[in-house]
Amino acid sequence: MNRLTQPGWVRGLLSLVFGLALGSQGLAFLQFLATKTYNPFDVGSWVLGSVVAALTFFAGAGGKKVFHLALMRGLGWQFLGTLAGGFLAEFLRALLPDMEPFGKFGFSEPAWVLGAIVGAVSFLAGAGVLTDWFKWAKGESTPEHHHDPDGWEKYFGVSLDHKVIGVQYTFTSLLLLSYGGLFALLFRTELAKSGMQFLDLNVYNTLMGLHGMVMIVSILLGIAGVMNYLVPLLLGAPDMAFPRINAFSFWIAVPAAVLLLSSMALGGFDTGWTGYPPLALRAPVGIQMFYVGVWVAGWSSILGALNLIVSVLRLRAKGMTAFKMPIFVWAAVATSIISLTATQMIGLAFQLVIFQRVVGMPFFDAAKGGNPILFQHLFWFYSHPVVYVFILPGLGIISELLPVFLRKPLFGYKWIAMSSLAIALVGFLVWAHHMFASGMNEYLRVPFMYSTLLVAVPTGVKFFSWVATIWQAKIPRDMPTPLLFVFAGIFVFLLGGLSGPPNATVSTDLHLTDTYFIVGHFHDTMFGGYVFPFFAALYYWFPKVFAKRLDEKLGKIHFWLMTPSFIFLTLGMMKIGLLGMRRRIADYDPALGFDIWHLLLTISAYLVAASVLIFFINVYKTLKNGEPVTGNVWNSRSPEWQVPSPMPAYNYDRPFEVVGEPYDYGVPGSTYVKM
Amino acid sequence: MEHHQNSGNLLRQGVNVFIILAVLTALEFAVAVTSASMLLLVTMAIIKAGLVLWNYMHVSKLGGEDEGHEDDRESYAFKTETNRLGLWLFLLSDAFLFAGLLVTRFNLMGLTRLPLNQTLGLVVTSVLLISSFFMNRAEVQMSQGNKKGFTTNIVITIALGVVFLLGVLGVEWRLAAAEGVIASANAASAAFYMMTGMHAFHVLTGVIFLLIVLRNTGKGLYNEEKHWPVEAATVYWHFIDLVWIFFYPALYLIGRLM
């Protein structure tokens, strides 16, 4: 049979099966080398096998030209770079006395670490992200813009166009969302019944930790995607301030994601997503991939934030003074201030553990004067504010969309703009509320309790503004999907907000900490502050990006399937949490009587996953068969909707001028921008 | 705006700033030896940092160097101001890393310090401060179109940077290890190596930037009007100095001997 005569999808499917078998069994073999037991059904191997399968599917369906895409080139170079870095480290170790080269999983641990870093850099060099900078260093000049290929291929190449990069970010984010969701489904299935079903403890722990961190990276990329696409359009700029740094910020997240997932093949880790020492010091090599992956992803965050702040400060349209900026831009700036600065702290915290494990510097070894609490301070100095990084853009989207659909001015524009900044700044002063039970100095508890409760004030300002905007508005009878998601976002975020103060208050937190109550609270804030507004944004701006409108019927099924299941899921978590269900554990005592609850929670988790699947089907169908729409679909006043979709390269033909207030919907005779 | 002033004034300014920095450093040393007042040491470090920020790094340029090019967003002046803002935000981010290292040091060591070689500490600190003086001279020469003066000064800066690196990594690390400051022995020593190592890594990248700028000057890429890469490398170099202004007292002067 001639391979080339078959249709693409047959070749793709065959390659998929081949890749899945090769990937899963190859990794199972790697596990065998380390543990001397061969388990062909090892969950971790199959998850990673699916990554390999995705690539072989892509290559099989697309044919030879796929290998010329920057993405594939980068991955190939990352593989080679990892080998090169690993062998270099082994060579150096062989020169030193008392060092055994190679170890479990092929390389020794230092070799894996060096290999991971060299691999990430090789990805960037191989994909061509660094080319222009190398030329500049050599004194050569490069063209200001690069021409993107037409069609889908531009999304797999190194583009400098913020709109392409925004789509790349969002797509990668959704891919990671699927992986994070898959991990959750796997351990949720395990939890459906007490006793151990099909996961072993190490895999359970690894899935738990990776669910957390993969979702965090997914959210970081998701907000970066929306901000990247929108902010230059809202500002009236042709692009971000630094297009090359923009491309760099996106592409560095790809090897980071690969590193994160690869932790599964190297023995996993059992610390959860926080990676606390001293447990982290005894975890398998997988934790190093986790640390290095997050460290690399951090650069995406830092440089993306830098780019965004500079763009907002420098590239606003004529007449766009601070208090004429769209609320989303305010939110994006507030979020970026945190990403730019605090990310360094988690980078440092992880770096210290990497060094302790590789070189033996005893930062967290109490017997040698180290202090494990130090890690927690550095870690939470980032990891608390980062939840505001996740939610502020989402809350900005809510404020952005409400007036459009309700045809009413946004209530208290200035207050809501400042509340984003206030949340971001107060957010820097609350981190130790994660450590009430950690053994830190007790006198620290009280100030951190009050500073945490203080966050409720600017957040309350936002709710007040939303309620006042909704007040006496004519709510459309047949609510469009984005509005549904906005309303659900407000409600779910309220649930998250109200379940917060009990955790901020020391007396109740000492009881609630490390229970499912925290898990329920946290997921409410993340879904209310990020997931629901993110989907609202996807439904709302999809016609701008692709000039096709997502199917309303599927959108509503997505919404009505997801919202009740999700609310049940988190309220159920809070309930059993209050009754004593501990978080992160793989098994629980049937005498607690939680079996039925866990079963129900698992079912609702599957329903949430099914709703997201419907969203993907919707996207696929719309891109394939959707009717073109080029106009101002939502009758918005915002500048990006005043020109036909999709946006041309370099955005607006002529710069626009801001002449009015951004949210004066329903005010006769007012306009925001003059095109 | 330096190109509006004459070179004599600028030289005098650079020398004055350097003298104040040198005197303050000597004072720090004296204070540490006699009274070990942490308050005084921190105050002096902040004054030194302010001098470097204001006179060497020209932080005031962030407020907008000259007006009038806001409309032409393709102009070199507009782009330079955008680049400058980006660089400073990067330094702000980087400053958080170094602040985290200082937090690490004080968390692990408290108000004690390691048995380090004081003479050597003073010598490497001086070397870095002197390199900042020459870096400042180099930038002034470039802004006045004196390529030859620029080259001389930047070569001296690079040489001093290399001397600093050799001093810290080659001599200081060896002497410290001989005194029992061993990275794997205790957390305090580990913090010392982490701080000096991270700083040395930044010095190394700074040297590389300066070499690139030096080479591209030879190719004739910069002139008195357009030399953003020179300014960027300069500001970065002074930033490394700025970090050391805090690291030096934190590692060598503050606290009682362990």
Side-chain angles (χ1 to χ4, degrees), chain B residues 52-256:
Chain B
V52 170
L53 272 169
W54 190 259
N55 292 298
Y56 283 169
M57 294 172 80
H58 308 296
V59 64
S60 58
K61 277 191 188 176
L62 274 179
E65 202 175 2
D66 5 54
E67 303 299 319
H69 50 71
E70 288 301 313
D71 289 333
D72 184 9
R73 292 189 172 181
E74 296 299 314
S75 69
Y76 192 85
F78 185 87
K79 284 183 179 167
T80 298
E81 254 181 62
T82 306
N83 288 338
R84 190 177 290 137
L85 194 55
L87 176 71
W88 276 89
L89 286 180
F90 177 78
L91 297 183
L92 177 69
S93 178
D94 220 10
F96 268 72
L97 170 67
F98 288 113
L101 283 168
L102 281 172
V103 167
T104 306
R105 176 250 178 267
F106 282 101
N107 185 287
L108 294 177
M109 284 192 238
L111 289 181
T112 59
R113 63 185 161 85
L114 294 163
L116 302 169
N117 187 316
Q118 287 294 344
T119 322
L120 189 63
L122 194 59
V123 168
V124 291
T125 305
S126 310
V127 167
L128 205 58
L129 276 179
I130 295 168
S131 83
S132 257
F133 170 75
F134 284 103
M135 189 71 246
N136 178 254
R137 289 308 302 155
E139 196 196 12
V140 169
Q141 303 289 9
M142 175 55 87
S143 66
Q144 293 177 336
N146 181 353
K147 296 266 174 68
K148 204 159 157 254
F150 170 79
T151 308
T152 316
N153 282 302
I154 202 172
V155 166
I156 296 174
T157 309
I158 293 170
L160 289 171
V162 172
V163 168
F164 177 85
L165 277 178
L166 292 175
V168 172
L169 303 184
V171 185
E172 175 62 303
W173 280 18
R174 206 165 288 202
L175 289 183
E179 284 289 324
V181 180
I182 294 163
S184 57
N186 57 60
S189 307
F192 164 75
Y193 285 100
M194 189 54 105
M195 287 170 78
T196 48
M198 185 60 80
H199 181 262
F201 175 73
H202 280 74
V203 175
L204 182 66
T205 51
V207 167
I208 293 171
F209 290 153
L210 291 181
L211 284 171
I212 291 172
V213 166
L214 175 63
R215 182 167 172 274
N216 286 344
T217 306
K219 285 186 162 189
L221 289 184
Y222 314 127
N223 58 38
E224 58 202 90
E225 293 296 324
K226 300 184 176 181
H227 55 267
W228 160 248
V230 174
E231 186 189 328
T234 306
V235 172
Y236 184 75
W237 189 261
H238 293 309
F239 174 74
I240 297 166
D241 195 9
L242 186 78
V243 170
W244 192 256
I245 283 175
F246 290 99
F247 273 24
Y248 171 59
L251 286 172
Y252 288 85
L253 304 180
I254 289 177
R256 64 200 150 65

Side-chain angles (χ1 to χ4, degrees), chain A residues 375-427:
Chain A
F375 177 91
Q376 299 187 22
H377 280 298
L378 293 173
F379 177 84
W380 288 113
F381 188 84
Y382 167 75
S383 295
H384 188 79
V386 81
V387 301
Y388 304 127
V389 170
F390 302 157
I391 63 166
L392 286 174
L395 305 185
I397 288 168
I398 294 180
S399 301
E400 195 75 29
L401 300 198
L402 265 184
V404 179
F405 286 107
L406 303 181
R407 313 309 296 173
K408 261 188 76 188
L410 180 70
F411 186 87
Y413 166 89
K414 269 191 193 178
W415 283 88
I416 208 163
M418 297 318 287
S419 73
S420 293
L421 277 184
I423 292 175
L425 297 180
V426 178

Side-chain angles (χ1 to χ4, degrees), chain A residues 555-618:
Chain A
K556 286 197 173 130
I557 299 175
H558 170 195
F559 176 80
W560 288 111
L561 196 56
M562 181 161 134
T563 312
S565 330
F566 175 75
I567 292 170
F568 179 82
L569 176 69
T570 51
L571 292 181
M573 282 173 168
M574 287 186 208
K575 180 190 157 72
I576 58 173
L578 284 174
L579 294 175
M581 178 67 201
R582 306 249 305 127
R583 71 191 282 200
R584 289 201 184 119
I585 54 175
D587 192 12
Y588 47 93
D589 188 351
L592 287 165
F594 295 154
D595 278 57
I596 179 70
W597 276 100
H598 273 296
L599 181 64
L600 291 172
L601 296 185
T602 303
I603 292 171
S604 28
Y606 270 92
L607 291 177
V608 172
S611 75
V612 177
L613 197 62
I614 290 171
F615 170 76
F616 287 140
I617 293 171
N618 195 353

